[in-house]
Amino acid sequence: MLIDKDNDGDITFDEFFAWWSKADKLKRVDGSHYAVMTKALEYFKRYDKDNNGYLDIDEWRHVMKDIGMEQYTESGLKGLDKTGDGRIEFDEFLTWLGWLDEKKQ
C-alpha cells in the first residue's frame, strides 16, 4: 500500500491520514502510534535533504554510509523500491525500519 495514492510526488494530509488510520499495519514500538510516526518522520527528514518526500540514490547512500553498509546502497535501493521509480518513499522507508509489515501492503 502506497501512501501517495495519486503518485504526484506529494503526500497530502488526507493520503497520510488514510494510511495511518490503518493502525494494524504499524508495529508498536512504545505503545504510541504518534511516537512511532514522529520518530520515523524524524529519521526520514534527516536524510531527505531536498524535502521532496522521497530518498533518491544519493540520499539513500548517506543512510547506508551512516550505518556502515555503503557497499549495499544500490542493492538496498532496488530491494526496497517496490514502485520501481528509483527512489525510496516514506512507506518503503518504514518497511526498511521494520515498522510496516510489507506483507500487508
Side-chain angles (χ1 to χ4, degrees), residues 53-71:
Y54 60 84
L55 303 179
D56 60 28
I57 186 72
D58 294 324
E59 293 164 330
W60 180 243
R61 183 172 283 108
H62 287 283
V63 173
M64 298 305 282
K65 183 177 181 180
D66 284 355
I67 63 171
M69 299 183 75
E70 190 173 5
Q71 69 271 26

Side-chain angles (χ1 to χ4, degrees), residues 1-3 19 24-27 29 36-37 40-41 43-44 55 60 63-64 67 76-83 87-105:
M1 176 178 153
L2 294 177
I3 298 172
W19 173 80
D24 66 321
K25 293 191 178 291
L26 289 175
K27 294 180 181 177
V29 172
V36 169
M37 295 312 296
L41 283 169
Y43 290 150
F44 191 80
L55 303 179
W60 180 243
V63 173
M64 298 305 282
I67 63 171
L77 179 73
K78 287 177 186 173
L80 287 173
D81 180 18
K82 300 301 180 195
T83 59
R87 57 191 192 186
I88 296 175
E89 298 180 24
F90 186 62
D91 58 332
E92 294 164 333
F93 186 74
L94 285 175
T95 298
W96 177 69
L97 289 173
W99 292 352
L100 182 65
D101 185 350
E102 123 178 80
K103 291 178 227 131
K104 293 185 180 180
Q105 290 184 38

Side-chain angles (χ1 to χ4, degrees), residues 38-52:
T38 300
K39 189 54 93 176
L41 283 169
E42 176 187 320
Y43 290 150
F44 191 80
K45 286 181 179 182
R46 180 183 304 165
Y47 294 102
D48 182 16
K49 299 295 185 190
D50 53 10
N51 271 338
N52 59 8

